[in-house]
Amino acid sequence: MKIQFLDGTALAHLRKVLTCVSNKHDKRHQKEVCSLFTKDTNAELLAYLKDVGIEEPLRDSRFDCTAISLDPNTVGLNEVGNVKSVRDALANISPAIASNEKFWAGLCIGSAWNYVRDRWHLKTDHKGADVLSHYMFGFGARRSLTRNALSRLWWIGQLTINPDCPEDPYKATKFVLEDTDYVVALLERNTSDNPHIVYEIIDGVLAARSEGYHVERSAIRELAKYVNIVGGVDILDLMPEGAIRDKVLGRARKICKKK
């Protein structure tokens, strides 16, 4: 099937409605539009967009895609199956396309409608900011990629799946999925531009764990900041293989306690 993207005018209109609450009319209108995202299908939302003059809210792209099988009931580590599904179905798209809001908004409002609604509990919690961040982009460019309901799965896979680790290419993926805070700490920084840097950071953390160190949320944030500091002195991309891992392991030994 052809992947559909959200028309730019439709995106601009929804973004305005979901963020503009300057008066009672705007608040009431926003609440009405947000309620459309709780429905069993996207039919009422598409009808609304057509009523405001957008004849074709969802448009066919030139990209083909197999059906994406997603489980809305999986969270944390169990989400690795959803990461695999999105990566397999969208294996041929480029990082540039995978950074495009209209692309992900089209998938979320289109074929993944029920998954997004149920995974993020939008039937009960559907404020404008929640709808915007899960169906579209609600934050800055980098942060939104790991917050949108589908782009987060693609980018977690892009930055953590290691094909050079045949015994378990999803080792780093599973680690990141343990805690949403790990996604923020490791994948929303400048260092995440290079997957190899991400692999080595996580390898260092896992090595520390294997030595019996208790590496938890605050330590992960501290280690991510430490790698940023190292990057201010050395060019991380040019460091020899294993060097970042060793630095992370060494730092973890200093700041973490053994169990």
Side-chain angles (χ1 to χ4, degrees):
M1 66 176 184
K2 290 291 184 185
I3 296 175
Q4 292 186 308
F5 64 92
L6 184 65
D7 173 81
T9 304
L11 176 60
H13 177 83
L14 288 173
R15 178 172 289 282
K16 180 179 179 180
V17 171
L18 295 172
T19 57
C20 184
V21 287
S22 58
N23 54 56
K24 289 183 178 180
H25 174 269
D26 289 339
K27 291 180 180 179
R28 184 168 60 253
H29 187 204
Q30 183 184 99
K31 186 175 181 179
E32 291 170 352
V33 172
C34 285
S35 71
L36 299 178
F37 287 86
T38 70
K39 307 299 182 182
D40 289 337
T41 73
N42 62 6
E44 290 186 48
L45 176 65
L46 296 182
Y48 161 77
L49 291 171
K50 290 179 180 179
D51 285 344
V52 298
I54 304 165
E55 295 184 5
E56 197 174 356
L58 292 176
R59 297 176 177 272
D60 285 345
S61 72
R62 58 185 175 86
F63 297 100
D64 291 313
C65 175
T66 58
I68 306 175
S69 177
L70 297 168
D71 183 353
N73 299 309
T74 58
V75 297
L77 181 59
N78 293 326
E79 278 199 302
V80 69
N82 287 338
V83 172
K84 290 179 181 178
S85 294
V86 170
R87 291 291 301 177
D88 289 345
L90 302 175
N92 295 322
I93 68 169
S94 67
I97 294 297
S99 301
N100 188 290
E101 182 179 12
K102 291 186 289 185
F103 177 84
W104 293 115
L107 280 170
C108 289
I109 288 174
S111 59
W113 175 266
N114 289 337
Y115 166 77
V116 181
R117 182 200 62 197
D118 296 342
R119 169 64 179 85
W120 297 101
H121 311 293
L122 290 170
K123 280 189 173 182
T124 55
D125 190 8
H126 48 270
K127 299 185 290 292
D130 297 313
V131 172
L132 186 64
S133 63
H134 295 308
Y135 281 93
M136 290 157 270
F137 283 5
F139 303 94
R142 180 183 294 275
R143 193 177 177 193
S144 290
L145 295 178
T146 53
R147 303 302 176 97
N148 172 274
L150 288 188
S151 71
R152 67 183 293 273
L153 298 173
W154 193 92
W155 279 100
I156 287 173
Q158 172 74 4
L159 296 171
T160 63
I161 295 173
N162 187 356
D164 297 326
C165 182
E167 65 273 13
D168 188 2
Y170 295 95
K171 180 174 68 173
T173 310
K174 294 171 185 175
F175 171 79
V176 167
L177 289 172
E178 284 182 14
D179 194 312
T180 54
D181 207 48
Y182 296 172
V183 175
V184 174
L186 297 173
L187 304 186
E188 293 184 2
R189 295 180 179 274
N190 292 333
T191 51
S192 68
D193 288 341
N194 187 335
H196 295 290
I197 295 174
V198 177
Y199 304 152
E200 291 213 22
I201 295 172
I202 295 172
D203 271 348
V205 171
L206 294 178
R209 281 186 175 182
S210 71
E211 292 183 2
Y213 289 95
H214 182 61
V215 189
E216 36 64 59
R217 286 184 179 184
S218 61
I220 297 297
R221 290 194 292 270
E222 177 65 27
L223 291 170
K225 291 177 183 177
Y226 170 69
V227 173
N228 271 352
I229 293 171
V230 172
V233 178
D234 298 312
I235 300 175
L236 297 177
D237 293 338
L238 298 183
M239 292 179 70
E241 186 174 352
I244 296 172
R245 172 196 179 278
D246 292 344
K247 284 184 176 292
V248 170
L249 175 57
R251 184 65 176 172
R253 287 169 175 159
K254 291 181 180 179
I255 68 172
C256 301
K257 295 181 179 180
K258 283 203 170 184
K259 297 179 181 178

